[in-house]
Every structure is written in structure tokens, then in C-alpha cells.
Amino acid sequence: MLKRTRIVEILSSENLNGRFVVMGWVRTKRDSKGGFSFIEINDGSCIKNLQVIAAQGLSNYKDQVLKIQTGCSVKVEGILKPSPAKGQSVELHAEDITVFGWADPDVYPLQKKRHSFEFLRTIAHLRPRTNTFGAVARLRNALSCAIHTFFQERGFLYIHTPIITGSDCEGAGEMFRVTTLDLGNIPEKEGKTDFSRDFFGTAANLTVSGQLEAEIYALAMGDVYTFGPTFRAENSNTSRHLAEFWMIEPEMAFCDLEGDAALARDFLKYVFAYVLEHCPDDMAFFNQFIDSSVIETMEKLILQDFEYLTYSEGIRLLSESKEKFEFPVSWGVDLQSEHERYLCEKVFNKPIILVDYPKEIKAFYMKLNDDQKTVRAMDVLVPRIGEIIGGSQREDDYDLLVQRIKGANLNPDDYWWYLELRKFGSTPHAGFGLGFERLIQFVTGLTNIRDVIPFPRTPGNVSF
RNA sequence: UCCCCGGUAGCUCAGUCGGUAGAGCGGGUGGCUGUUAACCACUUGGUCGGCAGUUCGAGUCUGUCCCGGGGAGCCA
């Protein structure tokens, strides 16, 4: 195939008067009847466009170049020169322009103006060609890379936990059923679906969390993490929920809640510093057009200490405050996002890690404290969005875990392998979970989660 | 799933008391210019979300369904 230079390299090149070939998609074109055209090209390598000067001396100037419009794909070969005008430092003076594909302006949906995110969601096959979604794609890539690098540098093993699970008891919401049964002719046995005739010989679902399996590997390999797709069949219609999303779940053997909290803090500081360093142009774009506070918020968070306090102390601070809350506060209630934001933004004005929640409002696998009333759970709260990470030290005592499972009206038999981890060589261990898309929302300032994943799956929508 | 708001030109929206449809942008044509979401003039463009109802007459009122937005619940 043809050799090309990416625009990101050209714009950082000092090789003026050098010859380059670029290929990309036309964002906008301005004609000068004085005898040349300005064509701005974007190839996805960076948010900036390259300005091409197309003079009328080009052999196809009249029959092709003048007809180029937003959306066309082109190859341009030319000489890079300093730009005499404001707006760009360099520009490519074309010696040859080839049009790969046209984009009929009567029907091409993208115009050289701002579109609503709602409209762009209906054309998810074209929206990565816009500034915002191009920037999101690069940022999502950089954040993925930052996450892997963070864990790899610390000796964590990347574990691939299953997408399809035989357990319907992971306890984190409604699950999608996976089946090869003929839905028009479902085999039954004693009035119920006979899953013994299904593909796996039993009912199967898409995973809602890799945590329980991650614990298996943590209790053999030490420090592990998962980073993969997760599925929830909840009928949630909000700007913060997807039916298919990506989750990061580290799990550490020989680790208590304090170690877990320290990792969560270091993790956030690391990935934020990473994107500020690696994506300055895209971050500047988000800061200018999406949310003018995103860069400052991240810079502050990198430098600040995280406040560490217990749920009970948090409740006390909320009770003593003169702030009027829509939901009243008392010991034992789950905190609403207004409470979390008050503590985070008004009381401390920095990220906080809340620990030791009442056992009644947290999951069965969290380790019981000596007070018998609270568990070793933590929520990491950050300004603007509240909870960004949830984690806990896991219950490692066999008998206590059996009690907690029964107390949650679950059947210990369904958790036989999970319980055996506590029977053979059990050890203190801890971990946390982080929704990848919510992390991207925090970094970009985008308010709707459907705009930070390439192809959002939500109730009633699996297009593309 | 619940509450509130919305769906009108390719896009973003206006549309009064129920009386047969408007603007900006985009597209087209012409003009002008080392331009920057260029600019100026003219022009093009509609099953008013679907179905049913009230009415002489519905974009407008009523019912219902679909879709989107904001909030809530669930949660990541």
C-alpha cells in the first residue's frame, strides 16, 4: 500500500521544505477565486487538521479539487512550508491530490458545524470523524494503556476472567441469559425450562463481574487484575449506565483495606498524570469545549492527599452540617450522591476515601469488622461525580463467609469453590472495581456515558 | 421501571387564541477574498414521531404507542 506520514508527525516535524504524503478525510475546504483552495485534512492521528494549499496549477484542479467537500477521503503529496497566516504554523503545498472516495454533500450527514451528541449517536458509524469522538477514541486508548502500564509496572498479572458464566449468583444485578435453545420450542421438564439440554448442560449468563474469579488467581499469583467487558441487563435509562461496559478489577493477596485504598489512590493519580502527559491536545479540547474544569480538577487531584475517614465520621459530619439535603442522613443509610458531593466538595475539597460501611448496605463478601456492625468496604469519592471506585477487603474466614451468604438469602452450595478458597490456604486479600467508562467521563467531562464508548448498548439499542 | 420535559426542512430551533409552515446553518448558483465554523446576494428544501379521536378545520386539543433529554431507583 501507499506510504504515508501521519499528520501528528508532520505537525511536530521540523523538516520544513520536506516532501510528505498524507492521507485522510477532508474536514473543510475554502476556495479562493484567486486561484487556490484551502483544504483541511484530518487523519485521526491527532485532533489538529493539516491545512493543504491546492493551487489551480494542479492537473485535476477544476474537475476534482474544486468539487472536494467535507467527508471526502484524499491523498495529498506536497512540500511542507511555514504558513504565512495565523491559525497554523505549517501547511502542505500540494503537488498531487488524489480523491479516494467522494462524500455527496446532499446526503453526507456531517457538516462543518457543531452537531448535537443526540444526533451523532444515531450515526455512530460516522461520529468518530468528528473532533469530539476522535478525541474520545484517542483518550480511551491512552487510558487503557495507562491502566495496563500501571499494573504491569507493579507486578500485577492480567487475568482473563470468563465472559460466560455458569453462576447466576454473582449478586450484582440482572444478567443476560446465554443459550442455544430454540426459543420457539423451549424444552421443558416439570414445567420449567430444561437447561440440561442447553449448550452447557446448565443455565449460563454473561458475567456481571470478574471479581470472584479474580480472587481465585489472586490467591495463587499474588497480585492480579482484570480489564474486560461486563454485562448488566438492568433496565437502566440514565446517562451513567450501559448494558455492556468495561470494568477494571484488581485483586491482591496479603492485602488489607488500607493497602487497597493506597492502591486506588496511586492508580487514579497515575492514570490522570498519564493522560495529561500523553494527550495534551485532546485534553485541551475537552477543557475548551466540553467542561472548562477537567484539567484543573485532574491536576489538583494528582497533587492532593486523599482524605481517609470512616462512614460513621462521614455521617457525623453530614448530621452536624447546616446544609439542607433532599434525603435525610442517619447511621445505617446509604449515602446519596448529594451527600458524597457535599463531603467531597464542601467539607474537604479534595478526594476522600470512605471506609467501614454498615454491613447491611454492602455485599456479602466484604470482611466483617470486630464491631460486628460494619464491613471493610471503601468508596473513593472525587469532586464533580462522587463515587468513582468501590472496593473492599474480602471476608477470608470460612465460617463468617458462610454466615454472610446465608444472611443475604443466598445458597452456600452455589459458592462452593469460592468458599473453598477460605478452606485451603486462606489469606487476607482485597480489591476494588472501577467502571472504565465512568473514568473516561470524569477525564473528558462528557456527561452522557453513551458518548465515551464507541458503540453503546442500552435498553432498546444495539445498533452498529 | 417511575417523575418531568421534548420530537416541526439534511442539522439546530421558532411557530401566539385551533385557520393550511418559518429562521439560521447546510446544499445549489453567482460574486468576493491567504482563507480559518470565511463573507455577500439569490435559491433549494416539510407525511410537523406513529396510530386513533374531538372539530367545519389540528403542528397546536385529547388518548395511546415509539424515540430522545433531565432527574430518581439500580449500580460501575
Side-chain angles (χ1 to χ4, degrees):
Chain A
M1 190 53 188
L2 308 152
K3 274 203 166 183
R4 66 187 180 102
T5 304
R6 288 192 173 83
I7 287 171
V8 67
E9 291 168 40
I10 289 186
L11 292 179
S12 60
S13 170
E14 293 173 7
N15 185 15
L16 291 176
N17 299 314
R19 176 177 298 274
F20 293 96
V21 176
V22 301
M23 302 182 201
W25 292 266
V26 174
R27 283 295 175 79
T28 177
K29 185 190 61 145
R30 297 174 289 275
D31 293 320
S32 163
K33 288 290 189 305
F36 50 93
S37 301
F38 303 93
I39 309 173
E40 285 195 41
I41 297 177
N42 188 283
D43 66 358
S45 63
C46 59
I47 196 159
K48 288 178 179 155
N49 301 327
L50 177 66
Q51 176 163 287
V52 168
I53 309 298
Q56 62 184 346
L58 291 166
S59 61
N60 59 345
Y61 185 76
K62 276 190 177 158
D63 60 326
Q64 288 199 310
V65 174
L66 280 178
K67 293 175 186 165
I68 287 174
Q69 276 172 309
T70 304
C72 293
S73 54
V74 295
K75 180 188 92 166
V76 180
E77 181 171 359
I79 307 295
L80 192 66
K81 295 182 177 174
S83 176
K86 285 181 180 173
Q88 61 283 316
S89 58
V90 295
E91 58 193 24
L92 192 67
H93 289 248
E95 295 182 346
D96 180 76
I97 294 181
T98 304
V99 179
F100 289 124
W102 297 92
D104 182 354
D106 281 340
V107 288
Y108 184 62
L110 291 175
Q111 302 168 2
K112 50 181 179 184
K113 67 165 198 172
R114 197 161 182 160
H115 289 288
S116 68
F117 291 138
E118 291 86 351
F119 169 66
L120 292 171
R121 262 171 239 148
T122 68
I123 50 168
H125 60 308
L126 297 172
R127 69 177 184 170
R129 299 186 190 182
T130 64
N131 286 333
T132 300
F133 289 90
V136 168
R138 284 184 295 271
L139 209 104
R140 194 178 164 101
N141 172 71
L143 265 176
S144 302
C145 195
I147 288 163
H148 282 297
T149 307
F150 172 83
F151 286 120
Q152 294 294 324
E153 282 178 355
R154 283 159 184 74
F156 282 62
L157 248 57
Y158 178 30
I159 303 297
H160 300 106
T161 49
I163 307 295
I164 299 174
T165 173
S167 72
D168 58 357
C169 48
E170 289 172 3
E174 292 295 310
M175 304 179 85
F176 286 102
R177 175 61 42 84
V178 176
T179 182
T180 55
L181 291 176
D182 179 0
L183 296 183
N185 183 23
I186 298 173
E188 292 191 354
K189 196 176 182 179
E190 296 167 3
K192 290 183 176 176
T193 301
D194 182 10
F195 286 108
S196 69
R197 295 171 65 180
D198 203 351
F199 185 89
F200 295 105
T202 184
N205 296 294
L206 293 180
T207 183
V208 293
S209 166
Q211 180 198 314
L212 303 192
E213 286 94 347
E215 286 187 47
I216 294 176
Y217 270 76
L219 295 181
M221 317 304 291
D223 299 324
V224 304
Y225 69 105
T226 73
F227 184 5
T230 310
F231 307 88
R232 303 273 168 92
E234 303 282 354
N235 190 7
S236 297
N237 292 288
T238 81
S239 57
R240 305 178 310 283
H241 291 87
L242 291 165
E244 176 183 295
F245 63 100
W246 288 62
M247 191 152 62
I248 298 112
E249 294 175 295
E251 193 71 33
M252 296 168 286
F254 316 111
C255 183
D256 58 14
L257 189 66
E258 286 69 24
D260 201 28
L263 185 81
R265 179 199 62 210
D266 293 348
F267 173 88
L268 290 176
K269 288 175 183 255
Y270 183 95
V271 298
F272 293 154
Y274 188 99
V275 295
L276 286 176
E277 183 189 343
H278 287 80
C279 306
D281 290 347
D282 291 322
M283 285 310 304
F285 173 83
F286 292 123
N287 209 67
Q288 184 178 354
F289 291 105
I290 306 294
D291 181 335
S292 61
S293 71
V294 287
I295 289 181
E296 186 191 348
T297 302
M298 283 165 64
E299 284 175 340
K300 278 171 64 181
L301 199 146
I302 290 166
L303 297 172
Q304 283 171 322
D305 291 329
F306 285 29
E307 190 71 26
Y308 191 91
L309 75 160
T310 65
Y311 167 90
S312 300
E313 288 165 345
I315 291 291
R316 184 176 56 79
L317 289 169
L318 290 166
S319 304
E320 291 170 356
S321 85
K322 288 167 186 164
E323 189 87 0
K324 283 186 180 172
F325 296 112
E326 187 185 344
F327 294 90
V329 176
S330 65
W331 200 96
V333 302
D334 209 354
L335 296 182
Q336 300 291 325
S337 71
E338 59 172 345
H339 305 139
E340 296 176 346
R341 292 189 62 162
Y342 176 78
L343 286 174
C344 210
E345 295 166 14
K346 300 275 174 59
V347 179
F348 295 105
N349 192 29
K350 59 176 158 177
I352 56 183
I353 302 179
L354 265 178
V355 301
D356 295 340
Y357 283 74
K359 65 179 179 183
E360 286 78 13
I361 59 173
K362 289 292 181 183
F364 70 87
Y365 49 72
M366 297 183 177
K367 185 169 182 60
L368 198 61
N369 275 308
D370 292 339
D371 63 12
Q372 304 292 308
K373 294 192 313 196
T374 60
V375 290
R376 304 244 71 195
M378 69 163 184
D379 281 357
V380 181
L381 313 177
V382 293
R384 211 176 76 223
I385 65 166
E387 180 184 343
I388 193 168
I389 284 179
S392 69
Q393 186 173 338
R394 319 306 189 188
E395 182 56 75
D396 54 74
D397 182 277
Y398 182 91
D399 295 325
L400 284 174
L401 185 56
V402 171
Q403 278 180 32
R404 294 296 312 281
I405 289 173
K406 286 179 178 170
N409 286 320
L410 300 169
N411 184 355
D413 292 344
D414 293 336
Y415 296 89
W416 67 272
W417 52 264
Y418 191 67
L419 282 163
E420 281 202 354
L421 299 174
R422 279 72 179 170
K423 198 187 275 183
F424 308 124
S426 187
T427 172
H429 62 290
F432 63 78
L434 167 77
F436 187 43
E437 283 74 20
R438 290 193 181 168
L439 181 68
I440 302 174
Q441 280 189 273
F442 181 73
V443 170
T444 59
L446 286 166
T447 54
N448 196 311
I449 201 167
R450 300 170 191 205
D451 298 326
V452 298
I453 189 168
F455 306 104
R457 272 80 179 96
T458 53
N461 186 2
V462 266
S463 299
F464 308 101

